[in-house]
Structure formats: C-alpha cells, structure tokens
C-alpha cells in the first residue's frame, strides 16, 4: 500500500500551468464574491450616511429660512456654527455661512457703447435703472450655504439657497 | 487492478485516491456554497435594512409634499376688518360672519372674501390642514387640487410588541371641501405611511416670539396660517434600534405681510393715485 502511493506520487502530478490556471479561476470567483459583498454593505452604509447628512442640512436650511434673521454688514464674516442636539446625531456639526449677492456692473453686461449720442442717452437711462435695481436686489437677497460634517468620519454635505432679508427696505424712488 | 489488454500499463485511481479527491472537492464545494450563501444573506439583509431606512424617507416626503402645499388666503391677503368698513359693507359682513361662526372648517373671511380654513392639532401627534397637494386621478371627478388632510398616530393592530406599536396614518378628504360640516375622519380610508413608531410630535413656528410651539392656540394667527412645521418622530429603525427623526417643513408660500388694503380703499381721492409698488419687500 505504502509502496503504491509513493510510486503513484512519483509518477505524474499536475503541471505548474494546470495548477496556476485552476488557482486563477478559483481566485477570480472568490474575488467576485468578496467584492459584491463589500460593495453591498458599503453602498448601503453610504446611502444611510448620505441621507442623514442631507436631512440634517435640509433641517438647518429650513430653520435658517424660517427664522427672522437680522442682516448687517458683519453677517458675511460671522458664520454660525455648532453641533446638532438631536439624540443620535450629536457627532454632526453644522456651519451656516452668509454671503452678499453681487450682481455685475452695468458695463460688464452691456459692454461700452461707442455709438451716437442718442444711443448713449438711452444707455445712461438704462444704467440708472439697472444700478437702482442692483442696489435693491443686493439689499434684499442673501446667499446662504449650509455645510454639515460628520466629525467622526469627515463626511460632508453642502446645501445652498437664497434667503431674503425681511427687514430690508427698498428704494422705490426711480427719478433721475 | 484493471488489467485489460489495451491499458495494460496504465493504472486507474486507487480507492484511497478517489476518496481523497472526493473529500477535497467536497471541502471546496462547501466553502464555495458558504461564500455564495453569505453573499446572498448580506444582500438580502442590506436590502431589507435599506427598505426600512427608505420607509421613513417615503413617509417624510409625503408629509413634506402636503405641508409645502398648505393653503390659506392669509398667505397673500389679510383678514376682513369690520372696523374699517363702510356701513353698507358692515351689514354684509355681519351676515357673513354669522354663517362662519357655525362653520366647522373655515372660521373667518379674508379681505377678498375667501374663506380662511383653520388648522387643528387636537393632539400633539395630530395635525389637520387644508392643502393644495391633491391630484385628481379620474377625469370629470368632482375634485380639485384642494384637500383636507389629517396626519395622526394610530395603534398598530398587527404589532406584536408594545414597543413601537404605533403607525403614522394619513387621511384625505378631497370631495366637497368647502362644506361647513365637521369632517368625519373615522369614515375615511387610512393610508398607513409608516409603522414601528413610538412617538410623534408636531411643532409650529411662532413668528412673533421666534420659537417652536406645540400648541396652535398660543400662536398669533396660528390656526389660520402655518409658517413652518417641525416634526419629531421616535421610531424603531432597522434591527429595531431606537431612532429619532427631526424634520422641518415650510409652506411654498413665502412669508409675506400683505399691505393693509383698507388703507388704499379708504384713502381720500387725491390728484396722484398711490403707487401700487410702494410696498415693502
């Protein structure tokens, strides 16, 4: 018996190529399985995290839009930050930034006209009206950006919107 | 062993070799099956968890849609004011207001004579309001985009445990919305939006005090106009883990304080008409 096994062993095994092909096939199979499994779990976790971040950002944004905010010139350099105080979301931080809306100057939109005087007069009129509107719009509308960060993983979510200054008084005197 | 003439020199496998081969194959097969099985299990578990996770998103987006379309004439107009009316108008007003005093759904009239609905939250977990979010499903049906909607918590009959035995229910009344009769909510069909809920709380934005309140009565015009609604829900998430969801929803109507129209109406005629665009904002 022993003799026979030894003799069988010494006869012929698989060649190196055969073994390698078999191993390669097996490896491809195993990697495929492991990959699908991890992507399943990862995708699900990422979706859950994304939803959380999105919902928190939306919550903060709606809170900002509903509240009567006082806008001053300092508002722009004074971002509001803090952590959420909801159970289970305490490691999420928010940052609310405000920025003044800036409309381009009249020349930047229309270009400089070098035509006859009549045209230039019309342009002066247009420019006056535009500048007035620009000033009014810039007074009323502010840009707001909410950034929510998970302080444990560093995952971030950003949401942008407009907010209007409810206390702004616009200038309706359009006389030139 | 095999001693046929043709294969005289070739030998077959011994029993032992076959057995070893078999056991190796079976081992490999076992691991492979194991792998496949666990992959499938994870996929199923993840899908089930995602479904539960998405359940709350679906319920909340329903709420958001309804609340964003919340309707009241007070968003663009103001209440009728008898003190600023002429005598003839006052008579009509008295007639109207008597009708509205008995109305179970609309309790006042706006400046442009539109009925103003009143929102109710008889319980902290209940909110009744008029919305424009209704979409007609059949042609020529007597419905508009208006509907009365109630969100409330009900006990889930199918729940086996006491923990998380409530469900979020939506009722809609889209027919005959301007009737003055009380709405019989219990006769309406229940739409279950979510199960496994422990607690639900509606809060309303009090603009005057810049605070959230859970009682509409103490908010100025709170029963006729909602500016923001905060919803806090305690529920059992995937794997029955206790979770909290807090959302804030806004109506699509902007927060706008209308100009007092009587000021223009009662203004003595002057050579120059008052400019229409002199309002704020």
């Amino acid at each position: 018996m022993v003799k026979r096994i030894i003799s069988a062993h010494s006869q012929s095994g698989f060649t190196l190529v055969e073994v390698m092909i078999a191993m390669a096939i097996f490896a491809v199979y195993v990697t495929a399985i492991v990959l699908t499994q991890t992507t399943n779990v990862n995708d699900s976790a990422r979706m859950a995290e994304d939803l959380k971040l999105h919902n928190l950002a939306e919550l903060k944004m709606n809170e900002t839009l509903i509240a009567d905010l006082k806008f001053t010139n300092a508002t722009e350099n004074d971002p509001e930050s803090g952590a959420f105080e909801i159970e289970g979301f305490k490691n999420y931080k928010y940052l609310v930034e405000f920025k003044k809306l800036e409309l381009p100057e009249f020349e930047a939109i229309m270009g400089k006209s070098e035509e006859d005087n009549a045209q230039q007069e019309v342009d002066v009129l247009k420019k006056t009206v535009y500048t007035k509107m620009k000033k009014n719009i810039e007074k009323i509308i502010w840009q707001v950006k909410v950034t929510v960060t998970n302080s444990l993983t560093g995952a971030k979510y950003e949401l942008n919107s407009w907010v209007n200054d409810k206390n702004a008084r616009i200038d309706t005197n359009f006389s030139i | 062993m095999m001693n046929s003439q043709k294969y005289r020199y070739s030998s077959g496998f011994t029993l032992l070799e076959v057995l070893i081969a078999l056991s190796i194959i079976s081992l490999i097969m076992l691991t492979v099956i194991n792998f496949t099985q666990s992959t499938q299990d994870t996929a199923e578990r993840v899908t089930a968890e995602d479904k539960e996770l998405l359940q709350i998103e679906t319920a909340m987006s329903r709420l958001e849609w309804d609340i964003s379309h919340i309707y009241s004439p007070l968003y663009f107009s103001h209440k009728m004011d008898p003190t600023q009316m002429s005598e003839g108008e006052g008579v009509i007003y008295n007639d109207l207001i008597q009708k509205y005093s008995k109305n179970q759904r609309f309790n006042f009239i706006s400046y442009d004579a539109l009925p103003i609905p009143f929102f109710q939250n008889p319980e902290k977990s209940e909110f009744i309001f008029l919305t424009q979010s209704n979409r007609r499903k059949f042609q020529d049906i007597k419905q508009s985009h208006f509907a009365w909607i109630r969100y409330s918590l009900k006990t889930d009959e199918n729940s086996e445990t006491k923990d998380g035995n409530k469900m979020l229910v939506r009722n809609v009344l889209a027919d005959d919305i301007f009737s003055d009769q009380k709405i019989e909510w219990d006769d309406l069909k229940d739409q279950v939006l979510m199960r496994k809920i422990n607690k639900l709380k509606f809060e309303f934005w009090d603009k005057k005090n810049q605070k959230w309140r859970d009682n509409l009565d103490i908010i100025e015009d709170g029963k006729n106009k909602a500016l923001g609604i905060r919803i806090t829900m305690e529920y059992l998430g995937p794997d029955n883990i206790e979770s909290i969801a807090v959302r804030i929803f806004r109506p699509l109507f902007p927060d706008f304080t209308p100009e007092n129209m009587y000021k223009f109406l009662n203004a003595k005629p002057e050579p120059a008409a008052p400019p229409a665009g002199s309002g704020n904002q």
Side-chain angles (χ1 to χ4, degrees):
Chain A
M1 195 77 177
V2 174
K3 210 178 166 188
R4 199 181 288 163
I5 288 174
I6 289 167
S7 69
H9 190 257
S10 63
Q11 264 180 2
S12 68
F14 297 107
T15 66
L16 180 64
V17 178
E18 280 167 347
V19 173
M20 280 181 68
I21 290 174
M23 273 173 73
I25 292 173
F26 189 66
V28 166
Y29 186 71
V30 169
T31 2
I33 284 170
V34 171
L35 274 185
T36 22
Q37 196 153 348
T38 42
T39 30
N40 269 341
V41 176
N42 280 348
D43 281 358
S44 171
R46 200 181 306 139
M47 184 186 76
E49 177 74 6
D50 268 2
L51 278 174
K52 258 186 204 175
L53 287 167
H54 169 81
N55 286 332
L56 287 174
E58 210 174 66
L59 176 88
K60 197 69 214 166
M61 181 62 87
N62 278 338
E63 212 172 78
T64 312
L65 294 185
I66 288 169
D68 276 347
L69 296 163
K70 301 262 180 304
F71 289 96
T72 57
N73 286 332
T75 312
E76 208 169 15
N77 307 317
D78 185 23
E80 183 198 339
S81 64
F84 286 96
E85 277 164 20
I86 307 161
E87 203 58 56
F89 297 95
K90 291 201 167 151
N91 54 321
Y92 289 88
K93 290 201 171 105
Y94 64 82
L95 179 74
V96 187
E97 289 163 288
F98 297 95
K99 201 165 187 293
K100 271 202 147 149
L101 177 74
E102 266 172 40
L103 293 179
E105 292 294 335
F106 183 75
E107 283 82 9
I109 305 177
M110 301 298 283
K112 241 188 168 144
S113 82
E114 287 170 8
E115 281 162 47
D116 52 302
N117 286 346
Q119 184 61 39
Q120 275 186 10
E121 245 171 65
V122 171
D123 276 1
V124 166
L125 197 71
K126 274 186 188 166
K127 191 184 168 180
T128 324
V129 173
Y130 176 80
T131 317
K132 203 103 190 180
M133 266 171 48
K134 173 177 143 76
K135 267 188 193 154
N136 279 336
I137 290 172
E138 284 175 354
K139 244 192 230 173
I140 305 169
I141 299 178
W142 283 71
Q143 302 174 79
V144 55
K145 180 167 96 177
V146 173
T147 316
V148 176
T149 321
N150 183 345
S151 53
L152 296 182
T153 62
K156 256 185 192 177
Y157 194 91
E158 244 176 49
L159 211 58
N160 292 284
S161 184
W162 312 107
V163 57
N164 65 319
D165 183 355
K166 284 162 193 150
N167 301 310
R169 292 288 172 267
I170 63 164
D171 183 1
T172 48
N173 179 15
F174 274 87
S175 56
I176 301 160
Chain B
M1 305 204 97
M2 274 171 84
N3 270 333
S4 82
Q5 276 204 323
K6 219 174 178 182
Y7 302 105
R8 209 186 314 170
Y9 302 110
S10 73
S11 60
F13 298 109
T14 64
L15 179 64
L16 196 68
E17 283 169 344
V18 171
L19 280 177
I20 290 172
L22 259 174
S23 58
I24 289 173
I25 288 176
S26 63
L27 269 177
I28 291 173
M29 286 304 268
L30 260 180
T31 38
V32 164
I33 286 172
N34 222 356
F35 261 138
T36 332
Q37 195 75 46
S38 70
T39 314
Q40 216 164 24
D41 282 353
T42 337
E44 262 164 33
R45 211 187 63 231
V46 165
T47 325
E49 273 179 16
D50 288 353
K51 240 186 197 166
E52 280 196 74
L53 202 73
L54 287 176
Q55 188 64 49
I56 182 170
E57 296 308 318
T58 322
M60 285 298 184
S61 62
R62 192 84 278 233
L63 255 160
E64 182 176 23
W65 174 255
D66 285 338
I67 286 174
S68 65
H69 285 74
I70 205 163
Y71 173 82
S72 164
L74 286 193
Y75 287 119
F76 48 84
S77 183
H78 57 79
K79 283 184 176 174
M80 213 175 243
D81 185 1
T83 61
Q84 296 191 57
M85 287 173 152
S86 70
E87 236 173 81
E89 286 168 337
V91 174
I92 302 171
Y93 171 83
N94 285 336
D95 203 37
L96 270 174
I97 204 69
Q98 230 168 22
K99 278 185 193 156
Y100 277 99
S101 66
K102 289 179 211 132
N103 197 320
Q104 300 288 317
R105 303 184 191 181
F106 301 88
N107 66 344
F108 218 80
I109 338 155
S110 77
Y111 162 78
D112 17 24
L114 295 167
I116 303 173
F118 64 101
F119 309 143
Q120 296 169 60
N121 68 325
E123 277 174 63
K124 286 199 172 87
S125 61
E126 197 175 340
F127 184 40
I128 299 169
F129 56 100
L130 182 66
T131 169
Q132 310 184 66
S133 67
N134 188 47
R135 295 294 173 263
R136 205 161 45 172
K137 290 189 185 67
F138 303 102
Q139 216 178 8
D140 300 333
I141 196 171
K142 282 185 180 165
Q143 281 188 6
S144 66
H145 52 280
F146 286 112
W148 284 95
I149 285 185
R150 177 178 82 163
Y151 280 97
S152 59
L153 269 195
K154 281 192 177 170
T155 311
D156 190 353
E157 307 289 339
N158 301 327
S159 173
E160 287 140 13
T161 53
K162 214 173 166 270
D163 193 23
N165 64 343
K166 298 203 178 71
M167 53 187 191
L168 177 63
V169 173
R170 176 182 185 258
N171 303 101
V172 190
L173 177 78
D175 298 306
D176 203 9
I177 48 150
F178 284 108
S179 145
D180 57 0
Q181 301 298 311
K182 199 167 184 282
I183 303 169
E184 298 297 338
W185 290 108
D186 295 332
D187 298 347
L188 295 167
K189 209 178 86 190
D190 283 352
Q191 298 174 3
V192 179
L193 295 183
M194 206 184 147
R195 290 172 201 275
K196 299 210 309 200
I197 300 176
N198 275 328
K199 237 168 124 186
L200 174 71
K201 190 165 81 173
F202 285 101
E203 284 170 297
F204 308 91
W205 181 246
D206 183 349
K207 192 186 168 182
K208 207 172 166 190
N209 299 301
Q210 296 284 305
K211 251 190 208 162
W212 291 102
R213 309 267 197 189
D214 55 10
N215 185 357
L216 278 175
D217 294 318
I218 50 176
I219 305 173
E220 196 184 311
D221 280 341
K223 290 207 146 197
N224 301 120
K225 185 182 181 182
L227 292 173
I229 289 162
R230 183 161 77 177
I231 293 150
T232 313
M233 187 154 83
E234 287 172 31
Y235 65 103
L236 299 182
D239 295 331
N240 285 345
I241 297 166
E242 272 189 52
S243 318
I244 288 189
V246 183
R247 304 287 168 88
I248 292 175
F249 298 132
R250 291 178 298 129
L252 285 178
F253 278 111
D255 178 14
F256 169 73
T257 318
E259 202 69 25
N260 183 358
M261 293 305 286
Y262 293 106
K263 205 172 77 190
F264 298 115
L265 265 187
N266 300 337
K268 289 190 182 89
E270 273 176 39
S278 65
N280 302 325
Q281 301 179 15

